[in-house]
Amino acid sequence: MSVVMLEKCRENIQKQLDNVVDFWLKYSHDRVHGGFFTCIGRDGNIYDELKYVWLQGRQVWMYCRLYRTMDRFHKPEILEAAVAGGAFLRKFARVSNSSGQWKCAFCLTRDGKALKVQRTIFSECFYIMAMDELSKVTVEENFPKQLFSMMEQLIYWVQVDPSGLGRPQLPGEVPINSLSVPMMLMCLVQQITEGRGQEVSQKYKELGIWCVQQILQHIQRAGTAILENVSVDGSELPGCQGRLQNPGHALEAGWFLMLYGAQWGDKEIQRTAIRNFVELPYQYGWDKEHGGLFYFLDVDGHCPTQLEWSMKLWWPHCEALIAFLMAYNHTRKPELLEIFSEVYQYTFSHFPDAENGEWFGYLTQEGKVALDFKGGPFKGFFHVPRCLYMCERILDDLLENKD
């Protein structure tokens, strides 16, 4: 990929980011009750008014990050939307569980009544992400104090006692290390420590190291596979659960690890990230017949139990674009840029909707649009704009240092 092609790529990514931001500013804001609609049809119609806390938090975070770090998004309407979304979350997202501990709802009614609570940590994680990033643009000092307390509760649930999540230990249940948990905690560590000085970095250094260790346990079968679930001692689990591979998660973990390595000057972690969590998932996850990344795979070649395993979803391709471009920026190995180019060509020829804006999220294995909505219970204003934002910034760095 020549410098000219990189410049064209950057121009397209910038236009796509502007388009996606405009789409969500236009259609997603609930100006009556606050917060954001995320169940948005192809042409911007709202087909369900439920509000999902993951996506509310992600949208607040994304607006704040764009407002704080990119001049062209430093606009009053973006800050106002972020502040309004944060107010909705603070007012309605937190609920008490049966033990009297705080918990965040998974789903809310339009006017903020809790409808469902998950027995996981992810609603809380995205609440913390949102509020921390919001605190960095509004400079409200009470936010970090509350968030540090919430972080301690999360760490306790994950490392000591998960009963506060409302998930009792059943007789047949085997404790597992699921890749998504240390990934998410590492993301929070990077979020909370950014720009907060050496004291905060040191406070969460041990947690960061623990997250890295937990993520590296997913390298299995003598380095030939990344498995989504392993035992708590890092051994392979039996059955479908143990054989499951999720290329998108592995790629996302890869660029999280690269950021960690860059922060702490750990070149070995960066090499491991690129070799095992970027190149390897692409090798087994790329559909050589139709192109694109499979959603799920079975390491032994059995049919995964997830019915959507063969579909091509938006977010794994977003993670691949970030991971390969970041890996190339670290190493300048041309083969990594070639793979980025392949993923780029597939992604931008299949997912963006040139007529109505934004991206489709769900394609068949052959690459045809299976579901034409732009947002739903799991697709919101996050993976696409985060990918475009990060790729634009990496491309800026590459083009500024092209020699």
Side-chain angles (χ1 to χ4, degrees), residues 61-224:
W61 180 88
M62 195 72 247
Y63 277 152
C64 291
R65 180 57 62 104
L66 291 171
Y67 178 86
R68 183 168 68 89
T69 63
M70 299 190 89
D71 289 343
R72 73 179 187 275
F73 295 115
H74 197 80
K75 299 177 180 179
E77 60 266 32
I78 290 179
L79 179 59
E80 289 167 9
V83 170
F88 183 84
L89 277 172
R90 277 192 289 174
K91 186 174 182 180
F92 297 116
R94 294 181 62 175
V95 296
S96 296
N97 65 13
S98 58
S99 304
Q101 297 173 317
W102 64 267
K103 193 83 176 70
C104 284
F106 171 71
C107 184
L108 307 169
T109 62
R110 180 182 178 183
D111 58 355
K113 296 182 179 68
L115 193 62
K116 179 180 179 181
V117 176
Q118 285 186 321
R119 295 178 293 181
T120 67
I121 64 169
F122 302 113
S123 289
E124 292 76 23
C125 288
F126 290 116
Y127 180 95
I128 292 172
M129 269 185 66
M131 293 303 162
D132 183 71
E133 188 67 22
L134 185 60
S135 75
K136 291 172 180 174
V137 298
T138 59
V139 199
E140 292 193 38
E141 291 300 328
N142 61 315
F143 281 2
K145 293 178 183 178
Q146 178 200 63
L147 298 180
F148 292 144
S149 172
M150 294 174 73
M151 273 293 291
E152 294 307 309
Q153 180 67 74
L154 277 184
I155 296 166
Y156 182 80
W157 283 337
V158 171
Q159 294 186 338
V160 181
D161 181 8
S163 62
L165 295 172
R167 189 172 63 238
Q169 181 76 38
L170 299 175
E173 184 181 4
V174 177
I176 67 168
N177 168 6
S178 176
L179 182 57
S180 58
V181 172
M183 275 177 56
M184 194 65 237
L185 285 181
M186 174 176 278
C187 180
L188 284 183
V189 169
Q190 292 169 348
Q191 171 68 39
I192 285 181
T193 57
E194 181 190 12
R196 288 228 162 85
Q198 194 66 19
E199 182 179 350
V200 177
S201 292
Q202 289 298 320
K203 175 181 174 66
Y204 290 104
K205 185 176 182 179
E206 185 176 337
L207 178 60
I209 293 170
W210 180 87
C211 291
V212 170
Q213 293 171 341
Q214 295 292 300
I215 291 171
L216 295 182
Q217 285 186 346
H218 293 264
I219 304 173
Q220 294 287 320
R221 303 198 177 189
T224 64

Side-chain angles (χ1 to χ4, degrees), residues 241-255:
Q241 185 182 44
R243 297 195 305 267
L244 184 66
Q245 295 181 292
N246 183 332
H249 259 168
L251 287 157
E252 188 174 16
W255 67 260

